[in-house]
Amino acid sequence: MALHIHEACILLLVIPGLVTSAAITHEDYPADEGDQTSSNDNLIFDDYRGKGCVDDSGFVYKLGERFFPGHSNCPCVCALDGPVCDQPECPKIHPKCTKVEHNGCCPECKEVKNFCEYHGKNYKILEEFKPSPCEWCRCEPSNEVHCVVADCAVPECVNPVYEPEQCCPVCKNGPNCFAGTTIIPAGIEVKVDECNICHCHNGDWWKPAQCSKRECQGKQIV
């Protein structure tokens, strides 16, 4: 009886081992995320450092090969330390440029306004205009306005007037001067009162008249 019990214990010890090896498989227990990550680390990616250069579109260029990294970049040469690009002196953009394109190595002005702006108004190229009676202006091809201001001569009278649309004052009654508080015409002698005859200085209209006393014609008092 003791022999049968011992054989039964040995049989029970063997059976669990058989069940364990048959039941546990990789299909029942998939790999952990850590194991999956470690397997991805074994992937080999292309490394072009020291071997070539890559442009903005992903194209690869060999060492010493000339290429454009992007549509708005200057040409470059692929070197061991990376692209070595040209740095030319680009022309200056016109200050009145209204449209600039960056499709090449240097920015390029595509549109310059073809008019001048002066005091809130627009004028065509080479157009002449008078913003005021004393100013004569022209819109230059450089989009700048050049003006000339009239230089008025000294009027030959003491009472000049400004006419509409005229820059300089005019003497409507001709040359004259002051004789006291009286305005007399130039070029003649004028009797300003019973005792004085006056005349303007020749050419010096702004000076007071030169007067001389004459025999008064008033009544004598007895």
Side-chain angles (χ1 to χ4, degrees), residues 90-130:
C90 297
K92 294 182 179 180
I93 299 296
H94 195 282
K96 301 280 180 130
C97 185
T98 57
K99 183 179 181 181
V100 180
E101 288 187 359
H102 299 271
N103 292 328
C105 183
C106 293
E108 185 177 358
C109 180
K110 290 297 184 180
E111 184 177 340
V112 177
K113 67 177 183 180
N114 56 352
F115 63 89
C116 300
E117 186 176 353
Y118 189 76
H119 290 179
K121 293 183 179 181
N122 295 335
Y123 300 92
K124 297 179 181 179
I125 300 297
L126 300 181
E127 182 180 357
E128 298 178 358
F129 58 96
K130 293 185 66 176

Side-chain angles (χ1 to χ4, degrees), residues 130-144:
K130 293 185 66 176
S132 70
C134 294
E135 289 181 289
W136 177 84
C137 303
R138 186 173 73 170
C139 176
E140 301 294 341
S142 61
N143 300 106
E144 297 178 350

Side-chain angles (χ1 to χ4, degrees), residues 25-197:
T25 63
H26 291 289
E27 294 179 358
D28 295 332
Y29 293 91
D32 295 337
E33 293 182 359
D35 296 337
Q36 291 179 347
T37 303
S38 61
S39 62
N40 289 336
D41 292 339
N42 295 327
L43 294 177
I44 300 176
F45 294 95
D46 293 334
D47 186 0
Y48 296 104
R49 289 175 295 181
K51 302 177 183 178
C53 302
V54 183
D55 64 8
D56 292 347
S57 301
F59 290 99
V60 181
Y61 297 87
K62 299 178 182 178
L63 294 177
E65 193 171 359
R66 194 172 179 83
F67 71 103
F68 289 86
H71 71 282
S72 61
N73 296 105
C74 295
C76 303
V77 175
C78 183
L80 286 172
D81 296 331
V84 178
C85 302
D86 295 344
Q87 295 181 350
E89 292 185 4
C90 297
K92 294 182 179 180
I93 299 296
H94 195 282
K96 301 280 180 130
C97 185
T98 57
K99 183 179 181 181
V100 180
E101 288 187 359
H102 299 271
N103 292 328
C105 183
C106 293
E108 185 177 358
C109 180
K110 290 297 184 180
E111 184 177 340
V112 177
K113 67 177 183 180
N114 56 352
F115 63 89
C116 300
E117 186 176 353
Y118 189 76
H119 290 179
K121 293 183 179 181
N122 295 335
Y123 300 92
K124 297 179 181 179
I125 300 297
L126 300 181
E127 182 180 357
E128 298 178 358
F129 58 96
K130 293 185 66 176
S132 70
C134 294
E135 289 181 289
W136 177 84
C137 303
R138 186 173 73 170
C139 176
E140 301 294 341
S142 61
N143 300 106
E144 297 178 350
V145 175
H146 290 173
C147 296
V148 176
V149 180
D151 187 12
C152 298
V154 177
E156 297 182 347
C157 60
V158 295
N159 56 349
V161 295
Y162 287 89
E163 295 288 347
E165 301 302 323
Q166 289 189 3
C167 174
C168 298
V170 295
C171 297
K172 297 189 69 175
N173 299 319
N176 55 38
C177 66
F178 276 112
T181 58
T182 303
I183 296 176
I184 63 173
I188 60 173
E189 290 185 342
V190 178
K191 186 177 182 180
V192 295
D193 54 32
E194 295 294 331
C195 302
N196 294 294
I197 295 178

